Amino acid sequence: MTDPKLELGVYRYEHTEPLFDGRVTIDGVDVTLDTSPLIRRLFVDYEAVERDYYRRTGIFPMMHVVAIRRELAGTPGLAEAIYRAFCEAKDIVQEHYRANAAKRHMAVITPWFSALFAENRALLGEDWWPYGLEANRKAVDTFLRYHHEQGLSRRLLTAEDIFVTIR
């Protein structure tokens, strides 16, 4: 396969500037970043709220979604190669993380980190952020249902409508 030209998107500050400088406001809503006093977490006790949501629904929100431009999506083997590369990178990092767990996370200077790691592992299992559609189908289906219910899509989309099948 020849390598298609890939461009990485970069999210730049100028896209959020209207929110930060007051040109755009959202009544009663503050969002969170450490870089601005105008932004805070939606839930004060976010950890407890997120843990409760996971216990009730089995959904731990996905961190990222990898997108391929529509005109490149049909390139044979491209989606599979990107998926495999991300899986391999994740496997390397997870193995390193687990190895440090055996050493009680001596390289991390955060108090009680090992206890937090154990608590997360007990709740979430070994793979906190699983890759692939099937592993995330419940979260994707729920997101698409909310998307439709809130009027953001004209019809209820399916995961197959928005994701390329990886073999």
Side-chain angles (χ1 to χ4, degrees):
M1 168 178 90
T2 58
D3 291 335
K5 180 182 176 194
L6 299 178
E7 295 179 27
L8 298 178
V10 177
Y11 191 74
R12 301 184 191 287
Y13 174 76
E14 60 263 20
H15 298 297
T16 57
E17 191 174 344
L19 182 61
F20 287 105
D21 70 13
R23 285 182 282 159
V24 173
T25 60
I26 304 171
D27 289 337
V29 175
D30 290 327
V31 235
T32 179
L33 285 179
D34 293 332
T35 57
S36 172
L38 301 175
I39 298 177
R40 67 173 174 80
R41 291 192 181 274
L42 181 60
F43 302 106
V44 175
D45 193 4
Y46 65 93
E47 182 181 344
V49 170
E50 291 171 2
R51 286 179 184 280
D52 176 63
Y53 182 78
Y54 180 79
R55 282 185 196 98
R56 288 184 295 108
T57 67
I59 296 173
F60 188 70
M62 296 172 287
M63 288 289 283
H64 301 93
V65 174
V66 176
I68 299 172
R69 291 182 182 275
R70 194 174 309 248
E71 61 269 17
L72 295 176
T75 304
L78 177 64
E80 291 85 353
I82 292 171
Y83 178 74
R84 278 193 305 276
F86 273 89
C87 287
E88 287 175 24
K90 178 183 166 197
D91 290 345
I92 291 167
V93 171
Q94 281 187 320
E95 182 54 40
H96 175 74
Y97 202 63
R98 285 188 199 103
N100 279 320
K103 298 173 190 161
R104 306 287 303 156
H105 296 100
M106 289 185 284
V108 179
I109 58 170
T110 302
W112 309 291
F113 186 80
S114 292
L116 176 62
F117 180 81
E119 183 181 355
N120 288 343
R121 196 179 225 177
L123 177 64
L124 302 168
E126 291 296 319
D127 193 3
W128 304 350
W129 284 292
Y131 286 5
L133 177 57
E134 288 312 313
N136 289 287
R137 184 170 289 278
K138 186 174 184 179
V140 171
D141 288 345
T142 301
F143 168 80
L144 292 173
R145 181 172 49 83
Y146 290 164
H147 195 267
H148 180 65
E149 288 173 356
Q150 295 172 19
L152 299 171
S153 55
R154 290 187 182 139
R155 68 179 178 85
L156 179 59
L157 297 168
T158 67
E160 288 72 24
D161 291 328
I162 63 171
F163 288 102
V164 174
T165 301
I166 303 287
R167 291 170 185 68

